[in-house]
């Protein structure tokens, strides 16, 4: 029999100073411990110890030259967490906050998320503490080239397929893929999120935001409700927020906020025109990591140094970074009448804020379910690359939509309580876990 406290104490002892990893594991173990203890095969094969230990971790030096001719040194990583279901798959994050513990938490989450998509993908994550803010195009190119010179030793289209995450978009994927190809002389689906002209899937850039909105659409329908007319607060202004605002508009909802490290934009008329969406892309491409110019450009309100969670809304979609919404924010949101929370960033809500929402029976879509659309379309990109064909945007979108509906339904199946309230956190964790755990058991040790 597993006991939560002793298992977690042991995990903390073996993974010191990695609070995000511990947080991510604790949430999963709390959800699945009864399922595990009900199945002797899980207990005597030590499934929990095995599923929380990454298969392997690479850490490497990345040297590159800045525009002043000075040598800079960053640390690069790839965490290959679990490949029971398929080749390792997961994004690369270039951000000053990146540490090994961050990437272990993200790789762990990715394993269950990828399982939920039902596509054959294991879980991984990688990246660097390289901070793209303020870097020139040439500096980014030189960094990507050096990073891939090391990373290419460990990846391959059947082994490990990276993609983008924070700080890594189509431009960076291009530079990374170019260097992989230069060294290995092969054109394969070794990385996803490629440009649409050279093997990238249509709808991949939009996929995480679209998927989150499809997931939200299923959540509201399950509550005999509709997205039509809903007021939404979104954080972030990157690729994920961009996809989400576009799909929200298409489905009749109104997004009134986006945010950056400098504060948030409050646009009461709604972020619902192609000009505004295109401007978000320009802002991101500028590498300044500020959102205020959006407010200046469209003459709407800018609230400096604050998060958008103080704005009264029906739904919130954290789309920026882990632990960006805390217990205080959760209390404010609830007092202001929030009806749904869709965690679109990975572990965007702190543990206590998640518990608060669940205790108050707010439908809460956890990141590993709600944001799985991105990696799902990455999986579809791998399929297209392997078949040497391109699907139309409609074909990809239909598949994405059906995957998100499926994930929602799996959460309902595994997460519905006696009172009818759907605990999507529990549902996603149980559904994601069972597939990975059963595959591990069937494959032996
Ligand atoms: O967090 C994520 O799921 C991603 N960054 C996307 C990973 C992928 O392989 O597309």
């Amino acid at each position: 029999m597993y006991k939560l406290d002793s298992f977690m104490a042991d995990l903390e002892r073996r993974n010191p100073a990695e609070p995000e990893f511990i947080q991510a594991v604790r949430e999963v173990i709390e959800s699945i411990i009864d399922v595990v203890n009900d199945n002797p095969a899980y207990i005597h094969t030590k499934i929990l110890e095995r599923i929380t230990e990454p298969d392997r971790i690479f850490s490497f030096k990345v040297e590159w030259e800045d525009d002043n001719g000075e040598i800079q040194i960053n640390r690069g990583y790839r965490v290959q967490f679990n490949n029971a279901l398929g080749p390792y798959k997961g994004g690369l994050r270039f951000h000053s906050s990146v540490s090994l513990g961050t990437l272990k938490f993200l790789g762990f989450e990715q394993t269950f998320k990828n399982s939920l998509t039902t596509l054959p993908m294991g879980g991984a994550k990688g990246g660097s503490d390289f901070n793209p803010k303020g870097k020139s195009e040439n500096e980014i190119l030189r960094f990507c080239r050096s990073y891939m010179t090391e990373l290419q030793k460990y990846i391959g289209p059947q082994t490990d397929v990276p993609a983008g995450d924070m700080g890594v978009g189509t431009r960076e994927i291009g530079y990374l893929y170019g260097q992989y190809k230069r060294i290995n002389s092969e054109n394969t689906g070794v990385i996803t999120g490629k440009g649409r002209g050279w093997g990238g899937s249509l709808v991949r850039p939009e996929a995480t935001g679209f998927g989150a909105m499809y997931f939200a659409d299923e959540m509201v329908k399950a509550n005999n409700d509709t997205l039509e007319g809903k007021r939404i607060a979104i954080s972030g202004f990157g690729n994920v927020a961009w996809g989400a605002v576009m799909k929200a508009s298409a489905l009749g909802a109104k997004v009134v906020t986006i945010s950056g490290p400098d504060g948030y934009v409050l646009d009461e008329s709604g972020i619902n025109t192609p000009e505004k969406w295109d401007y978000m892309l320009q802002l991101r491409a500028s590498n300044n990591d500020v959102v205020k110019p959006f407010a200046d450009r469209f003459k709407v309100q800018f609230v400096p140094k604050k998060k958008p969670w103080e704005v009264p809304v029906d739904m919130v979609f954290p789309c920026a970074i882990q632990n960006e919404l805390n217990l205080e924010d959760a209390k404010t949101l609830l007092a202001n009448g929030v009806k749904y929370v869709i965690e679109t960033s990975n572990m965007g809500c702190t543990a206590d804020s998640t518990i608060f929402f669940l205790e108050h029976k707010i439908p809460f879509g956890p990141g590993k379910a709600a944001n799985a659309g991105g990696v799902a379309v990455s999986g579809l990109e791998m399929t297209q690359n392997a078949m040497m064909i391109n699907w139309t945007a409609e074909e990809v979108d239909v598949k994405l939509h059906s995957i998100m509906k499926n994930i929602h339904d799996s959460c309902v199946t595994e997460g519905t309580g006696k009172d009818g309230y759907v605990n999507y956190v529990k549902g996603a964790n149980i559904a994601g876990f069972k597939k990975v755990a059963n595959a591990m058991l069937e494959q032996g040790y």
Side-chain angles (χ1 to χ4, degrees):
M1 284 283 279
Y2 281 106
K3 294 226 167 40
L4 180 67
D5 288 344
S6 58
F7 179 82
M8 288 307 301
D10 195 45
L11 190 89
E12 284 186 51
R13 185 183 55 73
R14 295 198 302 133
N15 301 274
E18 292 180 348
E20 293 162 335
F21 179 58
I22 302 299
Q23 181 186 341
V25 173
R26 176 180 285 277
E27 184 210 277
V28 170
I29 305 294
E30 277 172 353
S31 296
I32 64 172
I33 195 154
D34 290 343
V35 171
V36 173
N37 281 335
D38 277 348
N39 186 337
Y42 288 151
I43 300 171
H44 78 245
T45 55
K46 297 219 168 138
I47 195 68
L48 292 189
E49 287 84 344
R50 290 165 62 201
I51 214 165
T52 52
E53 183 69 22
D55 290 350
R56 68 190 67 75
I57 293 172
F58 301 104
S59 168
F60 45 87
K61 179 172 68 169
V62 186
E63 298 174 329
W64 56 282
E65 191 181 330
D66 70 17
D67 287 346
N68 299 321
E70 227 178 276
I71 305 292
Q72 300 288 340
I73 298 99
N74 285 96
R75 195 168 291 168
Y77 304 94
R78 184 70 176 166
V79 177
Q80 296 182 336
F81 214 101
N82 186 301
N83 68 351
L85 299 181
Y88 298 108
K89 182 84 196 86
L92 302 174
R93 176 174 293 191
F94 294 168
H95 193 266
S96 51
S97 69
V98 164
S99 68
L100 180 58
T102 312
L103 298 177
K104 279 171 70 178
F105 120 63
L106 288 163
F108 179 76
E109 289 280 296
Q110 198 79 43
T111 301
F112 299 95
K113 182 197 307 193
N114 294 3
S115 164
L116 286 170
T117 68
T118 71
L119 302 177
M121 301 183 290
K125 205 83 187 191
S128 174
D129 58 359
F130 171 76
N131 183 6
K133 184 175 173 173
K135 301 292 188 299
S136 72
E137 180 91 21
N138 269 323
E139 288 175 326
I140 288 174
L141 168 63
R142 287 196 291 269
F143 177 80
C144 288
R145 216 192 265 152
S146 295
Y147 180 84
M148 183 53 87
T149 302
E150 283 301 313
L151 183 71
Q152 59 88 27
K153 297 169 188 168
Y154 315 117
I155 62 174
Q158 312 288 344
T159 314
D160 182 355
V161 182
D165 193 82
M166 295 175 70
V168 180
T170 311
R171 171 180 56 190
E172 291 75 18
I173 294 290
Y175 296 153
L176 292 162
Y177 185 65
Q179 182 69 350
Y180 180 89
K181 211 153 50 63
R182 220 164 275 127
I183 297 172
N184 294 283
S185 298
E186 60 175 38
N187 254 299
T188 58
V190 68
I191 191 163
T192 60
K194 298 185 290 297
R196 56 172 59 193
W198 39 278
S201 179
L202 295 175
V203 194
R204 176 63 189 88
E206 299 89 341
T208 312
F210 277 20
M213 213 46 76
Y214 291 145
F215 190 89
D217 193 34
E218 296 301 322
M219 283 173 80
V220 295
K221 282 185 189 147
N223 285 277
N224 296 317
D225 200 353
T226 166
L227 280 177
E228 189 76 41
K230 288 283 181 300
R231 229 174 108 82
I232 295 179
I234 281 180
S235 62
F237 67 103
N239 161 268
V240 176
W242 170 74
V245 293
M246 291 193 294
K247 189 53 78 179
S249 291
L251 297 177
K254 186 158 106 170
V255 177
V256 293
T257 70
I258 52 173
S259 75
D262 55 332
Y264 73 90
V265 170
L266 178 58
D267 184 349
E268 287 292 350
S269 63
I271 302 172
N272 49 17
T273 63
E275 291 72 33
K276 291 178 182 176
W277 305 332
D278 287 348
Y279 194 75
M280 286 173 75
L281 293 180
Q282 287 176 38
L283 262 188
R284 176 53 63 190
S286 76
N287 272 359
N288 290 326
D289 215 14
V290 288
V291 79
K292 183 174 180 296
F294 184 101
D296 298 341
R297 164 78 177 73
F298 296 102
K299 302 193 170 33
V300 295
Q301 201 179 333
F302 178 70
V303 182
K305 300 257 157 49
K306 287 275 191 70
K307 294 185 203 168
W309 315 135
E310 60 188 22
V311 178
V313 287
D314 303 308
M315 309 178 81
V316 291
F317 289 72
C319 293
I321 195 166
Q322 65 269 15
N323 292 327
E324 56 174 310
L325 193 158
N326 63 27
L327 182 60
E328 281 311 301
D329 300 323
K331 287 179 179 168
T332 307
L333 282 163
L334 193 76
N336 285 336
V338 76
K339 296 186 187 71
Y340 304 91
V341 179
I342 295 90
E343 189 189 43
T344 311
S345 42
N346 291 309
M347 207 166 77
C349 297
T350 58
D352 51 4
S353 69
T354 303
I355 291 166
F356 179 83
F357 286 128
L358 297 177
E359 280 175 356
H360 287 83
K361 307 277 176 188
I362 298 288
F364 178 96
K368 65 172 74 67
N371 76 26
V375 74
V377 174
S378 277
L380 300 177
E381 183 168 323
M382 289 166 70
T383 309
Q384 294 169 77
N385 292 163
M387 294 167 78
M388 303 277 253
I389 58 166
N390 299 309
W391 288 329
T392 63
E394 289 69 30
E395 284 173 298
V396 176
D397 195 35
V398 165
K399 289 181 169 62
L400 167 64
H401 200 154
S402 110
I403 289 169
M404 296 312 298
K405 183 172 176 346
N406 247 315
I407 296 175
H408 175 269
D409 295 350
S410 305
C411 294
V412 171
T413 303
E414 300 285 2
T416 306
K418 289 198 181 73
D419 61 356
Y421 171 69
V422 182
N423 182 334
Y424 287 89
V425 174
K426 190 173 171 193
N429 286 333
I430 293 177
F433 166 78
K434 277 187 179 171
K435 231 180 123 205
V436 179
N438 294 344
M440 288 172 72
L441 260 50
E442 287 166 23
Q443 292 167 18
Y445 60 87

